[in-house]
Structure formats: structure tokens, C-alpha cells
Amino acid sequence: MNTLTHLECSLCRQKFEAGKIHNLCDCGGPLLVRYDLAKSRETWSREKVAAGPHSMWRYAPVLPPTRPESIVSLGEGMTPLVRTPRLGQRLGAGDLWVKDEGLNPTGSFKARGLSCAVSMAVELGIRKVAIPSAGNAASAMAAYAAAAGIEAHIFMPRDVPQSNYIECKAFGAQVTLVDGLISDCAKKVAAGKDTEGWFDVSTLKEPYRIEGKKTMGYEVAEQLGWELPDAIFYPTGGGVGIIGMWKAFEEMQAMGWIGSKRPKMIAVQVAGCQPVVRAYEQGAERSQFWENAQTVAAGLRVPKPLGDFLILEAVRQSGGTALAVTDEELLEAGVRLAASEGLFICPEGAACVSALEKLLASGFLKRGERIVIYNTGAGLKYLEAYAPLFPR
Ligand SMILES: *Cc1c(COP(=O)(O)O)cnc(C)c1O
Ligand SMILES: [Zn+2]
């Protein structure tokens, strides 16, 4: 089915055997899944992709499950790439697109990562999964665990959006609301996992979510006729999407599907939590814990991303940049997009619209460039965040 060979530490390059249960490397580095891409190049092709299922599993030859029966799918992926000419005209962007990840199961792109992670849990015989989450990862894990018939244990900040809490409960997960941030939730998972026998599905501590998310990179290439855009705006929390897409581009090049050109990868954060932007501006390789993280864009409230060095590498090598916008700016930008294009997007995606306005105004991006914004979730999941703009 695939050409998976092994896993490799992203920091020290130590190799790990496939088919075994892994979290982080001993050195603390996240593990990346490696394939024999020379072999894939001979046995698979862009034409064969087109004949595959209408979901992210059309890329199964570069996804980790080795048996089709392991796959737990709710139809994730192959989200629309929507042209947004009215907004583009207003801002001075002649070739502007939104990849609308809000149409995934559970209303966010977290479905891609968790479909892959839960499929691998099934393949490896794991029966209990646990996750610390700012919201959408929890909803997605609860949904896929329900579909797989395994136990889900969820730790979320008490002020998580209502939609996420209710979804998790409806999916039958064990939910614990924590007074604190995702980092405090992570401590609870770490504390309980040995005694409770949970497998820790935390961002990047689990090696397969990134594989699911990388399909966003394959899809954008396929949808644009195997030509990458000039710039990608990505709302960056843990950064799994950026890291995953960067890996996807490398893999596609190794298979001869694309050339060496890369989009400028633009990491967007929020004023109330911008560890990656700070590190980028300081020329640092790692970020520092952002104290008192606060924002309505729940998915961006990640005070210290584990894969910060991988995010920064992709941003720098691609000639991209990192910038932050305020909550007020992003909500207003989200409403402007909704009113001009009919897309009601999540605050995280809306942060990218605001960041785009800034980078066009500063001249960092030019009118003729092909720009893709990743809208990572549905606006409908965030009614509390948008409600103050529309008092009744
Ligand atoms: C989790 C999340 C993000 C951040 O995703 P990463 O890939 O971890 O950076 C952005 N937007 C939404 C809606 C999310 O749920
Ligand atoms: Zn290592």
C-alpha cells in the first residue's frame, strides 16, 4: 500500500522502526515518517492520484497505515480551493484563493491529522487515546475514536469554545476541563498516561498527525495543476500544518512531481500569543514560552510549540515571514471576507486575511502573485468570538 521504511528524529536523525508504538525521540525531538520515495516514483503517479478516493486517502501511498482495514475515515480532505476575486480586488491581490478546511468533518483541518493518528492507533492495537487540546483537535479525536470504537480522553482549557466541548461530549469522550492553557492540559495527559494506559496523541508527540496534515500540501498542488502557489498564509499554533506541507513539498519533489520552487511560507500568529513571530524577528532557532497567552483564536493559543525549529526553518528557507495581528483586526477581517465572498471562516483563518492586508500594504507581496490562505476551520464553531460584533 505504501513505501514506509522507518521513522526519523527531526533533531538528532536517529532512526526508529516502523510498526512499533512511538512518541518523541529520547532527545526530545519529534519523529518524522520516511518512505522509499524512489520506489513510489516508479509505482505511483499524479495520474493515479486522480483515480483515487475523493478524500485525503487518495494519497495513501505516502500515508503511514500499511493495511487498508486500518483506515478510519469520515471523508476528510479534498476541501475546496475557492477563488476570492472580490476580496482580492479590494486588497490588490489579483490571484487570491482560500483553501477552505472548514468543510472537513468536525469543521476543521484537525480531522486530517486525527484520521491518520487514529488509523495508526487501530493498526498498532492501541485502545485508549488521550489528548490535550485547545479545542478542534479534541473534537476531531473524539469523532475518529468514536468511529474506531476506542476510548478517547480529552483535556481542554475550561474556556474552550462551546462547540468543541459539546462535540466531544456528544462523541462520547471522557472530557476534563482544565483551569489553564493547553500546556497545563498536556501536563495532565503526561501525568495520567502511565497509570491509565493512554496513548498520548499530543501535537508532534504523536508521529502520524503530521502525515495527515501534510495532505494539505499535496492537495493544493493537485488542485492548482501541480504548480505550487507563490505564497501560503498559515495560522500557526503548533505549526503542524506548515511542517507537514513543507514535508509534502519535499516528498513531491523527490517523486518528480514538482520542481524546487517553494511558496513563501507565511506563519501568522496573534498579538496575544506570538512565540514564533518573536523568535523569527530575533533570528532565534527556538521560541520561548509566551506568558499569559490570550486570544479568541483558540487554535493559536499555543505558548511554546514543540516543533518551533521546524516551523522557523520552513519560513526562513522559503523566503517567507512571520507576523502577528490583533484579535480586533482578525475578527474585522473575517467579517470583511464573509461579506465579500460568502465564506464564514474561523478566527485563525481570519488572522491570515488581516496578515495578507498588511503584507500587500507593505509591498512584501505583489498584485500578480498567486496567494493561498488556509482557512483552518468553520466560523460556525466560534459563535462566541463573533457575537460581540453583532449585538442583537
Ligand atoms: C489547531 C488549529 C490551528 C493551528 O494549527 P497548527 O497546525 O497546529 O499550527 C489553526 N486553526 C485552527 C482552527 C485550529 O484548530
Ligand atoms: Zn532525537
Side-chain angles (χ1 to χ4, degrees):
M1 208 172 129
N2 61 23
T3 58
L4 197 159
T5 52
H6 62 280
L7 289 82
E8 184 186 67
C9 174
S10 56
L11 268 179
C12 74
R13 305 287 156 198
Q14 189 182 330
K15 290 184 177 180
F16 294 82
E17 205 182 322
K20 296 256 158 61
I21 297 175
H22 299 294
N23 280 120
L24 293 176
C25 178
D26 322 315
C27 82
L31 304 188
L32 298 174
V33 182
R34 298 297 182 200
Y35 304 85
D36 181 349
L37 295 168
K39 191 159 151 206
S40 303
R41 185 176 186 151
E42 284 163 18
T43 54
W44 195 34
S45 67
R46 301 186 304 191
E47 291 69 34
K48 284 189 182 161
V49 170
H54 192 77
S55 78
M56 73 173 200
W57 293 100
R58 67 207 278 110
Y59 306 107
V62 285
L63 291 174
T66 56
R67 293 189 295 273
E69 325 70 272
S70 312
I71 294 175
V72 185
S73 174
L74 297 169
E76 52 293 323
M78 283 312 273
T79 54
L81 181 63
V82 184
R83 189 141 198 198
T84 53
R86 289 160 57 85
L87 180 76
Q89 189 170 17
R90 177 125 48 87
L91 302 183
D95 198 0
L96 181 62
W97 304 73
V98 173
K99 177 88 170 135
D100 195 1
E101 292 291 305
L103 283 126
N104 275 301
T106 69
S108 89
F109 74 138
K110 291 291 197 303
R112 295 178 188 265
L114 274 306
S115 172
C116 194
V118 172
S119 297
M120 286 308 288
V122 167
E123 182 153 308
L124 297 170
I126 292 165
R127 304 295 309 164
K128 297 179 185 181
V129 286
I131 200 166
S133 168
N136 288 321
S139 302
M141 193 184 82
Y144 288 96
I150 64 176
E151 265 178 45
H153 298 267
I154 282 163
F155 294 81
M156 305 194 282
R158 187 171 296 281
D159 59 356
V160 75
Q162 180 80 328
S163 59
N164 296 123
Y165 174 71
I166 292 177
E167 279 178 288
C168 290
K169 294 296 281 186
F171 290 131
Q174 292 291 319
V175 180
T176 307
L177 294 176
V178 176
D179 292 307
L181 300 178
I182 187 170
S183 38
D184 302 296
C185 299
K187 286 179 199 146
K188 301 237 177 227
V189 171
K193 69 181 208 183
D194 291 336
T195 51
E196 305 292 334
W198 301 333
F199 179 67
D200 185 350
V201 187
S202 298
T203 303
L204 295 182
K205 285 187 193 160
E206 188 283 340
Y208 305 110
R209 284 172 62 185
I210 192 171
E211 293 297 287
K213 278 196 174 179
K214 84 179 177 191
T215 58
M216 290 191 292
Y218 279 90
E219 269 179 38
V220 78
E222 184 182 0
Q223 288 172 320
L224 292 172
W226 303 104
E227 185 110 4
L228 297 180
D230 297 309
I232 283 180
F233 280 76
Y234 188 78
T236 305
V240 186
I242 284 203
I243 300 167
M245 284 194 273
W246 196 246
K247 182 171 187 282
F249 299 154
E250 249 174 55
E251 292 175 358
M252 282 190 278
Q253 188 179 352
M255 291 187 289
W257 293 10
I258 59 167
S260 58
K261 183 189 161 239
R262 296 288 182 271
K264 296 182 193 89
M265 302 301 281
I266 298 165
V268 180
Q269 298 201 300
V270 282
C273 182
Q274 43 172 320
V276 172
V277 174
R278 179 66 54 86
Y280 175 75
E281 286 170 348
Q282 293 177 341
E285 271 171 46
R286 304 292 304 233
S287 65
Q288 282 181 356
F289 190 94
W290 192 270
E291 299 292 342
N292 305 317
Q294 191 52 51
T295 171
V296 295
L300 304 186
R301 204 167 53 163
V302 181
K304 170 77 174 95
L306 192 59
D308 48 10
F309 62 104
L310 296 169
I311 305 169
L312 287 157
E313 200 176 280
V315 168
R316 290 190 174 119
Q317 282 183 14
S318 70
T321 187
L323 73 164
V325 304
T326 66
D327 278 12
E328 198 180 7
E329 286 171 330
L330 69 88
L331 289 172
E332 281 170 8
V335 171
R336 274 199 296 281
L337 176 73
S340 59
E341 300 286 354
L343 296 172
F344 183 38
I345 70 175
C346 64
E348 295 86 343
C352 293
V353 177
S354 176
L356 168 67
E357 294 175 3
K358 289 179 197 286
L359 293 185
L360 284 165
S362 73
F364 183 86
L365 291 174
K366 307 274 180 304
R367 171 176 287 274
E369 290 184 284
R370 174 165 283 175
I371 298 168
V372 175
I373 287 177
Y374 276 76
N375 171 46
T376 43
L380 284 175
K381 297 199 80 172
Y382 295 82
L383 296 180
E384 302 104 315
Y386 283 107
L389 276 70
F390 305 107
R392 295 202 262 182

